[in-house]
Amino acid sequence: MTSAFIVHIEAVKRMIASRLAFRTDLLLSAATMAINESLVVIFTIIIYTASEGFPGWSLPAALLLQGTFILVHGIGGTGFMGVIWNTVRKVEAGELDLVLLQPRSTLQMLIATGFDTEDIGRALAGIATVTYATAQLGPFGAWAWIRYALLLLVGLAVLLSLGIICSGLAIRFVKTWRMYEVLDALYMLGEYPATLQQPTVRIVLSFAIPIITIAYLPASVLLQMTVPHIGWIIAATAVFTLLSYGFWHSSIKAYASAGG
Amino acid sequence: MNQKEGRSEQHSILPAVSVKNLKKTYLTHKRGEGLLQSLKSFVWREHLEIHALRGINFSIQAGEIIGFIGPNGAGKSTCLKILSGILHPTSGDVTVLGYVPWKSRISYVGHIGAVFGQKSQLWWDLPPIDSFRLMKSIYSIPDAQYEKNLREMVRLLEVPEVIHRPTRSLSLGERMKCEFINAMLHNPAVVFLDEPTIGLDVFAKETIREFILRWNRLRGTTFILTTHDLQDIETLAQRIIVIDHGRIVFDNSLSALKARLGGGKHVRIRCKRPIITPRSRAVTIKNLISREEKEFIVDTQRLGIGEFIKLIGRGNQILDMSIEEPPIQEIIKKVYKRA
Ligand SMILES: Nc1ncnc2c1ncn2[C@@H]1O[C@H](COP(=O)(O)OP(=O)(O)O)[C@@H](O)[C@H]1O
Ligand SMILES: [Mg+2]
């Protein structure tokens, strides 16, 4: 267990070092990401002040929701969502074989070597937004913060499960179904109706469901809205995470018996 | 750790590798070109079975160096991938070091190493030494063992400075040497090498061959390599397994192969005057360099080399002569043709 943790840290250190080899690249991409996310927040503020606002939501409450989402997205993006592109890249290059040669959990190695420094900027923007919003809404007691943190973890677990599922899909599709070639062909079409390519559309599509768990639940604790059945939510998330791992495991099995 | 002693004990009892009736069939499907065809094959796919291994048998003793050869697509890489636990076979029994590779993968792969000439296990933007240190924690290698192995391999492979330069700036030869170090720091008992010398210059090839031989002799490490470089086979392999279309067509030493195919000797002769070719069915002309210089192939099973020299010395005044083994390419070509 401890040695698995050490391996994880060692791999992450190398990912950071790899990015540090291009120092300006690291700083620039993280800063760009932070500015990007801040712009979204500023945009919310502008819309809010220029209009009637969102019914039922004060400005700080809306910012808290948004900040919480950005924070979860940032932490997940840094720590484990890189597993998706990392899997796609490794499967395409036939390098998944090399990961399978290591006497470690293959999924863990894919997560560790998918560490993404770029999203640190996003996490920082999230922290700043949440801090700003809670300063307006607060002060909050320790219990509220504990529950907020707990639900934040639930949000992260949901995001992690999504990442694991996508990684499993990449292993299955790229290798056995060749979905990629179909996707490539579709992307070519997609270049003409430009809307398909718009990031907002894609984000809405890919995060529509989990966004509720990810941001709404933790934020609602601080907004003194009642969160029903926290216990059940945690249990359901745990089941979802386990199922996603089961799916991933069956995918890597299929890979091994289908052939690299 | 006492892991190593435990392993060598095991070696003396069991063969390091045992393969029985191993089969691997890949299931793929035909795919068309372009969007329409891709979409069509997404919905409805025509299945295609590729019999990469059609039931092969062999066993390897600990400490052997085995060369796998065979034309492209013969099934060599498939075989190595199954032996190293990456792929599940369709059927058959395999044990390596007492393990069934595709079961209990994690405990098994700690005892083996692998180098793929076409793929890199090193971190591209970092110096190899950083990759080595990660291997140290991935394999939980004790400090003393790590230092000792690293020092020795760096010396044998002549890469003392190279390991501190970013991998992306290394030449192919330098990188391959580092791939070997990376794959062998944890004292693997069996090492799989899939075309490890591909694309290297002669100097790098020689250093790597020398290294493999040294490590095999000093540590008793078993090496199983595939190659298209027959020089690799001549210098390294104590035994060769020729595989073609998923079947083993030959499994013995190189000299046995030469004997089996009756590989005649190549004799090149230069004379003062035009050469009179001896009349014997055991002698054929391989190369007509000039009227005064010819290369013969002498079938030594029918005509001893001494007899041949006597024969040719009778009518000719020999100025120069060289006798050589047939080049290995010719022998291999014959094997492939027979298969
Ligand atoms: N992942 C795969 N899917 C389908 N067919 C494969 C796959 N890998 C290899 N093959 C086929 O199996 C056969 C043996 O391939 P391989 O073991 O790579 O041969 P070699 O290494 O001797 O060149 C070839 O016909 C190859 O096309
Ligand atoms: Mg091959």
Side-chain angles (χ1 to χ4, degrees), chain A residues 57-71 126 129-135 137 140 145 148 215-216 218-224:
Chain A
W57 292 80
S58 69
L59 176 61
L63 287 181
L64 178 62
L65 185 67
Q66 200 162 39
T68 305
F69 177 68
I70 296 172
L71 178 59
T129 312
V130 170
T131 310
Y132 173 78
T134 49
L137 292 165
F140 297 108
W145 278 117
Y148 178 78
Y216 182 77
S220 55
V221 174
L222 294 187
L223 297 174
Q224 265 110 48

PDB file of all heavy atoms in Angstrom, chain A residues 57-71 126 129-135 137 140 145 148 215-216 218-224:
ATOM      1  N   TRP A  57     -31.388  32.662  -6.748  1.00  0.00           N
ATOM      2  CA  TRP A  57     -29.959  32.616  -6.446  1.00  0.00           C
ATOM      3  C   TRP A  57     -29.412  34.027  -6.277  1.00  0.00           C
ATOM      4  O   TRP A  57     -29.556  34.864  -7.145  1.00  0.00           O
ATOM      5  CB  TRP A  57     -29.186  31.939  -7.575  1.00  0.00           C
ATOM      6  CG  TRP A  57     -29.471  30.483  -7.703  1.00  0.00           C
ATOM      7  CD1 TRP A  57     -30.533  29.897  -8.305  1.00  0.00           C
ATOM      8  CD2 TRP A  57     -28.657  29.432  -7.193  1.00  0.00           C
ATOM      9  NE1 TRP A  57     -30.459  28.548  -8.219  1.00  0.00           N
ATOM     10  CE2 TRP A  57     -29.304  28.217  -7.528  1.00  0.00           C
ATOM     11  CE3 TRP A  57     -27.461  29.385  -6.472  1.00  0.00           C
ATOM     12  CZ2 TRP A  57     -28.789  26.987  -7.171  1.00  0.00           C
ATOM     13  CZ3 TRP A  57     -26.950  28.158  -6.133  1.00  0.00           C
ATOM     14  CH2 TRP A  57     -27.608  26.970  -6.482  1.00  0.00           C
ATOM     15  N   SER A  58     -28.735  34.244  -5.131  1.00  0.00           N
ATOM     16  CA  SER A  58     -28.010  35.506  -4.991  1.00  0.00           C
ATOM     17  C   SER A  58     -26.716  35.378  -5.782  1.00  0.00           C
ATOM     18  O   SER A  58     -26.310  34.275  -6.133  1.00  0.00           O
ATOM     19  CB  SER A  58     -27.710  35.765  -3.515  1.00  0.00           C
ATOM     20  OG  SER A  58     -26.760  34.816  -3.056  1.00  0.00           O
ATOM     21  N   LEU A  59     -26.080  36.509  -6.029  1.00  0.00           N
ATOM     22  CA  LEU A  59     -24.815  36.443  -6.787  1.00  0.00           C
ATOM     23  C   LEU A  59     -23.770  35.567  -6.087  1.00  0.00           C
ATOM     24  O   LEU A  59     -23.202  34.665  -6.716  1.00  0.00           O
ATOM     25  CB  LEU A  59     -24.269  37.846  -7.052  1.00  0.00           C
ATOM     26  CG  LEU A  59     -22.911  37.884  -7.757  1.00  0.00           C
ATOM     27  CD1 LEU A  59     -22.963  37.232  -9.131  1.00  0.00           C
ATOM     28  CD2 LEU A  59     -22.401  39.317  -7.882  1.00  0.00           C
ATOM     29  N   PRO A  60     -23.503  35.771  -4.791  1.00  0.00           N
ATOM     30  CA  PRO A  60     -22.499  34.907  -4.147  1.00  0.00           C
ATOM     31  C   PRO A  60     -22.879  33.429  -4.196  1.00  0.00           C
ATOM     32  O   PRO A  60     -22.010  32.575  -4.340  1.00  0.00           O
ATOM     33  CB  PRO A  60     -22.458  35.402  -2.698  1.00  0.00           C
ATOM     34  CG  PRO A  60     -23.101  36.731  -2.701  1.00  0.00           C
ATOM     35  CD  PRO A  60     -24.048  36.786  -3.863  1.00  0.00           C
ATOM     36  N   ALA A  61     -24.171  33.139  -4.108  1.00  0.00           N
ATOM     37  CA  ALA A  61     -24.589  31.734  -4.157  1.00  0.00           C
ATOM     38  C   ALA A  61     -24.281  31.141  -5.527  1.00  0.00           C
ATOM     39  O   ALA A  61     -23.762  30.022  -5.629  1.00  0.00           O
ATOM     40  CB  ALA A  61     -26.075  31.616  -3.851  1.00  0.00           C
ATOM     41  N   ALA A  62     -24.586  31.915  -6.574  1.00  0.00           N
ATOM     42  CA  ALA A  62     -24.289  31.444  -7.927  1.00  0.00           C
ATOM     43  C   ALA A  62     -22.788  31.246  -8.101  1.00  0.00           C
ATOM     44  O   ALA A  62     -22.327  30.265  -8.701  1.00  0.00           O
ATOM     45  CB  ALA A  62     -24.810  32.435  -8.960  1.00  0.00           C
ATOM     46  N   LEU A  63     -22.006  32.186  -7.542  1.00  0.00           N
ATOM     47  CA  LEU A  63     -20.545  32.078  -7.648  1.00  0.00           C
ATOM     48  C   LEU A  63     -20.024  30.874  -6.883  1.00  0.00           C
ATOM     49  O   LEU A  63     -19.078  30.214  -7.312  1.00  0.00           O
ATOM     50  CB  LEU A  63     -19.882  33.356  -7.144  1.00  0.00           C
ATOM     51  CG  LEU A  63     -20.010  34.566  -8.068  1.00  0.00           C
ATOM     52  CD1 LEU A  63     -19.277  35.765  -7.467  1.00  0.00           C
ATOM     53  CD2 LEU A  63     -19.470  34.261  -9.463  1.00  0.00           C
ATOM     54  N   LEU A  64     -20.656  30.593  -5.741  1.00  0.00           N
ATOM     55  CA  LEU A  64     -20.218  29.436  -4.954  1.00  0.00           C
ATOM     56  C   LEU A  64     -20.415  28.145  -5.762  1.00  0.00           C
ATOM     57  O   LEU A  64     -19.535  27.289  -5.818  1.00  0.00           O
ATOM     58  CB  LEU A  64     -20.998  29.359  -3.640  1.00  0.00           C
ATOM     59  CG  LEU A  64     -20.660  28.152  -2.762  1.00  0.00           C
ATOM     60  CD1 LEU A  64     -19.205  28.186  -2.322  1.00  0.00           C
ATOM     61  CD2 LEU A  64     -21.576  28.080  -1.550  1.00  0.00           C
ATOM     62  N   LEU A  65     -21.572  28.073  -6.396  1.00  0.00           N
ATOM     63  CA  LEU A  65     -21.862  26.893  -7.210  1.00  0.00           C
ATOM     64  C   LEU A  65     -20.829  26.745  -8.329  1.00  0.00           C
ATOM     65  O   LEU A  65     -20.225  25.685  -8.534  1.00  0.00           O
ATOM     66  CB  LEU A  65     -23.263  27.025  -7.814  1.00  0.00           C
ATOM     67  CG  LEU A  65     -23.756  25.821  -8.596  1.00  0.00           C
ATOM     68  CD1 LEU A  65     -23.973  24.634  -7.673  1.00  0.00           C
ATOM     69  CD2 LEU A  65     -25.037  26.157  -9.340  1.00  0.00           C
ATOM     70  N   GLN A  66     -20.613  27.872  -9.001  1.00  0.00           N
ATOM     71  CA  GLN A  66     -19.678  27.852 -10.113  1.00  0.00           C
ATOM     72  C   GLN A  66     -18.251  27.551  -9.643  1.00  0.00           C
ATOM     73  O   GLN A  66     -17.549  26.724 -10.228  1.00  0.00           O
ATOM     74  CB  GLN A  66     -19.713  29.202 -10.804  1.00  0.00           C
ATOM     75  CG  GLN A  66     -19.184  29.165 -12.203  1.00  0.00           C
ATOM     76  CD  GLN A  66     -19.632  30.379 -12.977  1.00  0.00           C
ATOM     77  OE1 GLN A  66     -19.677  31.483 -12.447  1.00  0.00           O
ATOM     78  NE2 GLN A  66     -19.975  30.169 -14.225  1.00  0.00           N
ATOM     79  N   GLY A  67     -17.862  28.228  -8.549  1.00  0.00           N
ATOM     80  CA  GLY A  67     -16.511  28.035  -8.016  1.00  0.00           C
ATOM     81  C   GLY A  67     -16.280  26.599  -7.588  1.00  0.00           C
ATOM     82  O   GLY A  67     -15.208  26.033  -7.810  1.00  0.00           O
ATOM     83  N   THR A  68     -17.309  26.001  -6.977  1.00  0.00           N
ATOM     84  CA  THR A  68     -17.170  24.620  -6.525  1.00  0.00           C
ATOM     85  C   THR A  68     -16.964  23.686  -7.721  1.00  0.00           C
ATOM     86  O   THR A  68     -16.129  22.789  -7.693  1.00  0.00           O
ATOM     87  CB  THR A  68     -18.419  24.184  -5.736  1.00  0.00           C
ATOM     88  OG1 THR A  68     -18.630  25.109  -4.676  1.00  0.00           O
ATOM     89  CG2 THR A  68     -18.252  22.790  -5.179  1.00  0.00           C
ATOM     90  N   PHE A  69     -17.713  23.944  -8.781  1.00  0.00           N
ATOM     91  CA  PHE A  69     -17.548  23.123  -9.969  1.00  0.00           C
ATOM     92  C   PHE A  69     -16.144  23.268 -10.551  1.00  0.00           C
ATOM     93  O   PHE A  69     -15.471  22.278 -10.865  1.00  0.00           O
ATOM     94  CB  PHE A  69     -18.587  23.488 -11.032  1.00  0.00           C
ATOM     95  CG  PHE A  69     -18.389  22.715 -12.291  1.00  0.00           C
ATOM     96  CD1 PHE A  69     -18.624  21.347 -12.316  1.00  0.00           C
ATOM     97  CD2 PHE A  69     -17.936  23.331 -13.451  1.00  0.00           C
ATOM     98  CE1 PHE A  69     -18.416  20.614 -13.462  1.00  0.00           C
ATOM     99  CE2 PHE A  69     -17.725  22.591 -14.605  1.00  0.00           C
ATOM    100  CZ  PHE A  69     -17.969  21.239 -14.611  1.00  0.00           C
ATOM    101  N   ILE A  70     -15.707  24.525 -10.650  1.00  0.00           N
ATOM    102  CA  ILE A  70     -14.366  24.763 -11.199  1.00  0.00           C
ATOM    103  C   ILE A  70     -13.303  24.087 -10.335  1.00  0.00           C
ATOM    104  O   ILE A  70     -12.350  23.488 -10.842  1.00  0.00           O
ATOM    105  CB  ILE A  70     -14.089  26.282 -11.321  1.00  0.00           C
ATOM    106  CG1 ILE A  70     -15.056  26.904 -12.335  1.00  0.00           C
ATOM    107  CG2 ILE A  70     -12.653  26.547 -11.736  1.00  0.00           C
ATOM    108  CD1 ILE A  70     -14.991  28.414 -12.394  1.00  0.00           C
ATOM    109  N   LEU A  71     -13.522  24.143  -9.020  1.00  0.00           N
ATOM    110  CA  LEU A  71     -12.556  23.541  -8.096  1.00  0.00           C
ATOM    111  C   LEU A  71     -12.472  22.021  -8.294  1.00  0.00           C
ATOM    112  O   LEU A  71     -11.384  21.450  -8.444  1.00  0.00           O
ATOM    113  CB  LEU A  71     -12.957  23.868  -6.649  1.00  0.00           C
ATOM    114  CG  LEU A  71     -12.076  23.273  -5.552  1.00  0.00           C
ATOM    115  CD1 LEU A  71     -10.634  23.756  -5.703  1.00  0.00           C
ATOM    116  CD2 LEU A  71     -12.608  23.661  -4.169  1.00  0.00           C
ATOM    117  N   GLY A 126     -10.687  28.009  -9.034  1.00  0.00           N
ATOM    118  CA  GLY A 126     -11.804  27.491  -8.242  1.00  0.00           C
ATOM    119  C   GLY A 126     -11.694  27.906  -6.788  1.00  0.00           C
ATOM    120  O   GLY A 126     -12.661  28.381  -6.180  1.00  0.00           O
ATOM    121  N   THR A 129     -12.487  31.598  -6.387  1.00  0.00           N
ATOM    122  CA  THR A 129     -13.916  31.893  -6.515  1.00  0.00           C
ATOM    123  C   THR A 129     -14.691  31.457  -5.274  1.00  0.00           C
ATOM    124  O   THR A 129     -15.526  32.202  -4.753  1.00  0.00           O
ATOM    125  CB  THR A 129     -14.494  31.201  -7.765  1.00  0.00           C
ATOM    126  OG1 THR A 129     -13.640  31.452  -8.874  1.00  0.00           O
ATOM    127  CG2 THR A 129     -15.892  31.703  -8.066  1.00  0.00           C
ATOM    128  N   VAL A 130     -14.381  30.236  -4.806  1.00  0.00           N
ATOM    129  CA  VAL A 130     -15.073  29.733  -3.609  1.00  0.00           C
ATOM    130  C   VAL A 130     -14.765  30.620  -2.412  1.00  0.00           C
ATOM    131  O   VAL A 130     -15.653  30.981  -1.626  1.00  0.00           O
ATOM    132  CB  VAL A 130     -14.671  28.262  -3.325  1.00  0.00           C
ATOM    133  CG1 VAL A 130     -15.188  27.817  -1.960  1.00  0.00           C
ATOM    134  CG2 VAL A 130     -15.214  27.349  -4.410  1.00  0.00           C
ATOM    135  N   THR A 131     -13.501  31.032  -2.275  1.00  0.00           N
ATOM    136  CA  THR A 131     -13.108  31.895  -1.162  1.00  0.00           C
ATOM    137  C   THR A 131     -13.879  33.209  -1.219  1.00  0.00           C
ATOM    138  O   THR A 131     -14.438  33.671  -0.206  1.00  0.00           O
ATOM    139  CB  THR A 131     -11.587  32.196  -1.231  1.00  0.00           C
ATOM    140  OG1 THR A 131     -10.884  30.966  -1.381  1.00  0.00           O
ATOM    141  CG2 THR A 131     -11.122  32.902   0.025  1.00  0.00           C
ATOM    142  N   TYR A 132     -13.925  33.796  -2.398  1.00  0.00           N
ATOM    143  CA  TYR A 132     -14.626  35.063  -2.584  1.00  0.00           C
ATOM    144  C   TYR A 132     -16.103  34.917  -2.229  1.00  0.00           C
ATOM    145  O   TYR A 132     -16.668  35.705  -1.464  1.00  0.00           O
ATOM    146  CB  TYR A 132     -14.472  35.534  -4.030  1.00  0.00           C
ATOM    147  CG  TYR A 132     -15.292  36.750  -4.373  1.00  0.00           C
ATOM    148  CD1 TYR A 132     -14.869  38.028  -3.974  1.00  0.00           C
ATOM    149  CD2 TYR A 132     -16.483  36.634  -5.081  1.00  0.00           C
ATOM    150  CE1 TYR A 132     -15.628  39.153  -4.266  1.00  0.00           C
ATOM    151  CE2 TYR A 132     -17.242  37.749  -5.393  1.00  0.00           C
ATOM    152  CZ  TYR A 132     -16.816  39.007  -4.981  1.00  0.00           C
ATOM    153  OH  TYR A 132     -17.572  40.102  -5.284  1.00  0.00           O
ATOM    154  N   ALA A 133     -16.735  33.851  -2.724  1.00  0.00           N
ATOM    155  CA  ALA A 133     -18.171  33.660  -2.505  1.00  0.00           C
ATOM    156  C   ALA A 133     -18.484  33.394  -1.038  1.00  0.00           C
ATOM    157  O   ALA A 133     -19.424  33.966  -0.476  1.00  0.00           O
ATOM    158  CB  ALA A 133     -18.688  32.520  -3.374  1.00  0.00           C
ATOM    159  N   THR A 134     -17.666  32.536  -0.411  1.00  0.00           N
ATOM    160  CA  THR A 134     -17.970  32.194   0.981  1.00  0.00           C
ATOM    161  C   THR A 134     -17.697  33.367   1.911  1.00  0.00           C
ATOM    162  O   THR A 134     -18.315  33.483   2.964  1.00  0.00           O
ATOM    163  CB  THR A 134     -17.166  30.966   1.455  1.00  0.00           C
ATOM    164  OG1 THR A 134     -15.793  31.151   1.116  1.00  0.00           O
ATOM    165  CG2 THR A 134     -17.698  29.693   0.826  1.00  0.00           C
ATOM    166  N   ALA A 135     -16.785  34.245   1.519  1.00  0.00           N
ATOM    167  CA  ALA A 135     -16.534  35.444   2.333  1.00  0.00           C
ATOM    168  C   ALA A 135     -17.799  36.302   2.386  1.00  0.00           C
ATOM    169  O   ALA A 135     -18.103  36.935   3.401  1.00  0.00           O
ATOM    170  CB  ALA A 135     -15.365  36.236   1.759  1.00  0.00           C
ATOM    171  N   LEU A 137     -20.890  35.045   1.921  1.00  0.00           N
ATOM    172  CA  LEU A 137     -22.010  34.267   2.451  1.00  0.00           C
ATOM    173  C   LEU A 137     -21.846  33.920   3.921  1.00  0.00           C
ATOM    174  O   LEU A 137     -22.826  33.777   4.640  1.00  0.00           O
ATOM    175  CB  LEU A 137     -22.161  32.961   1.656  1.00  0.00           C
ATOM    176  CG  LEU A 137     -22.618  33.072   0.211  1.00  0.00           C
ATOM    177  CD1 LEU A 137     -22.365  31.770  -0.522  1.00  0.00           C
ATOM    178  CD2 LEU A 137     -24.090  33.435   0.134  1.00  0.00           C
ATOM    179  N   PHE A 140     -19.042  30.360   8.254  1.00  0.00           N
ATOM    180  CA  PHE A 140     -19.588  29.012   8.415  1.00  0.00           C
ATOM    181  C   PHE A 140     -18.885  28.284   9.541  1.00  0.00           C
ATOM    182  O   PHE A 140     -17.700  28.516   9.801  1.00  0.00           O
ATOM    183  CB  PHE A 140     -19.389  28.204   7.127  1.00  0.00           C
ATOM    184  CG  PHE A 140     -20.121  28.787   5.954  1.00  0.00           C
ATOM    185  CD1 PHE A 140     -19.412  29.412   4.937  1.00  0.00           C
ATOM    186  CD2 PHE A 140     -21.501  28.732   5.877  1.00  0.00           C
ATOM    187  CE1 PHE A 140     -20.076  29.966   3.860  1.00  0.00           C
ATOM    188  CE2 PHE A 140     -22.171  29.281   4.800  1.00  0.00           C
ATOM    189  CZ  PHE A 140     -21.457  29.906   3.789  1.00  0.00           C
ATOM    190  N   TRP A 145     -18.295  23.146   6.957  1.00  0.00           N
ATOM    191  CA  TRP A 145     -17.111  22.945   6.119  1.00  0.00           C
ATOM    192  C   TRP A 145     -16.795  21.463   5.949  1.00  0.00           C
ATOM    193  O   TRP A 145     -16.404  21.024   4.869  1.00  0.00           O
ATOM    194  CB  TRP A 145     -15.892  23.666   6.717  1.00  0.00           C
ATOM    195  CG  TRP A 145     -15.846  25.130   6.372  1.00  0.00           C
ATOM    196  CD1 TRP A 145     -15.912  26.169   7.238  1.00  0.00           C
ATOM    197  CD2 TRP A 145     -15.729  25.697   5.062  1.00  0.00           C
ATOM    198  NE1 TRP A 145     -15.857  27.373   6.570  1.00  0.00           N
ATOM    199  CE2 TRP A 145     -15.740  27.111   5.225  1.00  0.00           C
ATOM    200  CE3 TRP A 145     -15.636  25.174   3.772  1.00  0.00           C
ATOM    201  CZ2 TRP A 145     -15.652  27.998   4.155  1.00  0.00           C
ATOM    202  CZ3 TRP A 145     -15.541  26.061   2.697  1.00  0.00           C
ATOM    203  CH2 TRP A 145     -15.557  27.461   2.900  1.00  0.00           C
ATOM    204  N   TYR A 148     -19.170  20.116   3.530  1.00  0.00           N
ATOM    205  CA  TYR A 148     -18.796  20.635   2.206  1.00  0.00           C
ATOM    206  C   TYR A 148     -17.648  19.807   1.630  1.00  0.00           C
ATOM    207  O   TYR A 148     -17.686  19.342   0.480  1.00  0.00           O
ATOM    208  CB  TYR A 148     -18.399  22.109   2.314  1.00  0.00           C
ATOM    209  CG  TYR A 148     -17.948  22.735   1.011  1.00  0.00           C
ATOM    210  CD1 TYR A 148     -18.872  23.122   0.049  1.00  0.00           C
ATOM    211  CD2 TYR A 148     -16.592  22.951   0.737  1.00  0.00           C
ATOM    212  CE1 TYR A 148     -18.475  23.707  -1.141  1.00  0.00           C
ATOM    213  CE2 TYR A 148     -16.177  23.535  -0.453  1.00  0.00           C
ATOM    214  CZ  TYR A 148     -17.115  23.912  -1.387  1.00  0.00           C
ATOM    215  OH  TYR A 148     -16.720  24.478  -2.573  1.00  0.00           O
ATOM    216  N   ALA A 215     -21.098  19.867  -8.194  1.00  0.00           N
ATOM    217  CA  ALA A 215     -21.091  21.214  -7.642  1.00  0.00           C
ATOM    218  C   ALA A 215     -22.313  21.510  -6.777  1.00  0.00           C
ATOM    219  O   ALA A 215     -22.206  22.144  -5.735  1.00  0.00           O
ATOM    220  CB  ALA A 215     -21.014  22.225  -8.780  1.00  0.00           C
ATOM    221  N   TYR A 216     -23.439  21.008  -7.196  1.00  0.00           N
ATOM    222  CA  TYR A 216     -24.677  21.410  -6.523  1.00  0.00           C
ATOM    223  C   TYR A 216     -24.716  20.931  -5.082  1.00  0.00           C
ATOM    224  O   TYR A 216     -25.027  21.683  -4.170  1.00  0.00           O
ATOM    225  CB  TYR A 216     -25.881  20.871  -7.292  1.00  0.00           C
ATOM    226  CG  TYR A 216     -27.194  21.271  -6.684  1.00  0.00           C
ATOM    227  CD1 TYR A 216     -27.697  22.570  -6.868  1.00  0.00           C
ATOM    228  CD2 TYR A 216     -27.928  20.379  -5.915  1.00  0.00           C
ATOM    229  CE1 TYR A 216     -28.895  22.945  -6.305  1.00  0.00           C
ATOM    230  CE2 TYR A 216     -29.132  20.753  -5.348  1.00  0.00           C
ATOM    231  CZ  TYR A 216     -29.615  22.035  -5.545  1.00  0.00           C
ATOM    232  OH  TYR A 216     -30.785  22.408  -4.989  1.00  0.00           O
ATOM    233  N   PRO A 218     -22.238  19.923  -2.783  1.00  0.00           N
ATOM    234  CA  PRO A 218     -21.401  20.592  -1.781  1.00  0.00           C
ATOM    235  C   PRO A 218     -21.849  22.038  -1.552  1.00  0.00           C
ATOM    236  O   PRO A 218     -21.921  22.496  -0.412  1.00  0.00           O
ATOM    237  CB  PRO A 218     -19.997  20.551  -2.377  1.00  0.00           C
ATOM    238  CG  PRO A 218     -20.051  19.685  -3.563  1.00  0.00           C
ATOM    239  CD  PRO A 218     -21.467  19.467  -3.933  1.00  0.00           C
ATOM    240  N   ALA A 219     -22.167  22.715  -2.640  1.00  0.00           N
ATOM    241  CA  ALA A 219     -22.525  24.126  -2.509  1.00  0.00           C
ATOM    242  C   ALA A 219     -23.796  24.279  -1.683  1.00  0.00           C
ATOM    243  O   ALA A 219     -23.907  25.189  -0.856  1.00  0.00           O
ATOM    244  CB  ALA A 219     -22.717  24.750  -3.891  1.00  0.00           C
ATOM    245  N   SER A 220     -24.732  23.346  -1.882  1.00  0.00           N
ATOM    246  CA  SER A 220     -26.006  23.505  -1.193  1.00  0.00           C
ATOM    247  C   SER A 220     -25.865  23.367   0.320  1.00  0.00           C
ATOM    248  O   SER A 220     -26.668  23.910   1.073  1.00  0.00           O
ATOM    249  CB  SER A 220     -27.030  22.509  -1.735  1.00  0.00           C
ATOM    250  OG  SER A 220     -26.510  21.214  -1.646  1.00  0.00           O
ATOM    251  N   VAL A 221     -24.828  22.637   0.764  1.00  0.00           N
ATOM    252  CA  VAL A 221     -24.601  22.543   2.212  1.00  0.00           C
ATOM    253  C   VAL A 221     -24.334  23.923   2.774  1.00  0.00           C
ATOM    254  O   VAL A 221     -24.899  24.342   3.788  1.00  0.00           O
ATOM    255  CB  VAL A 221     -23.411  21.619   2.513  1.00  0.00           C
ATOM    256  CG1 VAL A 221     -23.102  21.643   3.994  1.00  0.00           C
ATOM    257  CG2 VAL A 221     -23.715  20.207   2.065  1.00  0.00           C
ATOM    258  N   LEU A 222     -23.470  24.667   2.108  1.00  0.00           N
ATOM    259  CA  LEU A 222     -23.099  25.991   2.599  1.00  0.00           C
ATOM    260  C   LEU A 222     -24.249  26.984   2.415  1.00  0.00           C
ATOM    261  O   LEU A 222     -24.338  27.980   3.101  1.00  0.00           O
ATOM    262  CB  LEU A 222     -21.846  26.501   1.889  1.00  0.00           C
ATOM    263  CG  LEU A 222     -20.563  25.722   2.172  1.00  0.00           C
ATOM    264  CD1 LEU A 222     -19.367  26.423   1.556  1.00  0.00           C
ATOM    265  CD2 LEU A 222     -20.342  25.550   3.662  1.00  0.00           C
ATOM    266  N   LEU A 223     -25.108  26.699   1.460  1.00  0.00           N
ATOM    267  CA  LEU A 223     -26.222  27.609   1.205  1.00  0.00           C
ATOM    268  C   LEU A 223     -27.406  27.276   2.100  1.00  0.00           C
ATOM    269  O   LEU A 223     -28.511  27.774   1.891  1.00  0.00           O
ATOM    270  CB  LEU A 223     -26.639  27.520  -0.274  1.00  0.00           C
ATOM    271  CG  LEU A 223     -25.552  27.967  -1.243  1.00  0.00           C
ATOM    272  CD1 LEU A 223     -25.972  27.705  -2.682  1.00  0.00           C
ATOM    273  CD2 LEU A 223     -25.233  29.440  -1.049  1.00  0.00           C
ATOM    274  N   GLN A 224     -27.144  26.444   3.107  1.00  0.00           N
ATOM    275  CA  GLN A 224     -28.159  26.046   4.080  1.00  0.00           C
ATOM    276  C   GLN A 224     -29.395  25.422   3.435  1.00  0.00           C
ATOM    277  O   GLN A 224     -30.487  25.503   3.957  1.00  0.00           O
ATOM    278  CB  GLN A 224     -28.596  27.234   4.939  1.00  0.00           C
ATOM    279  CG  GLN A 224     -27.846  27.314   6.242  1.00  0.00           C
ATOM    280  CD  GLN A 224     -26.896  28.503   6.253  1.00  0.00           C
ATOM    281  OE1 GLN A 224     -27.294  29.607   5.896  1.00  0.00           O
ATOM    282  NE2 GLN A 224     -25.678  28.278   6.642  1.00  0.00           N
TER     283      GLN A 224
END
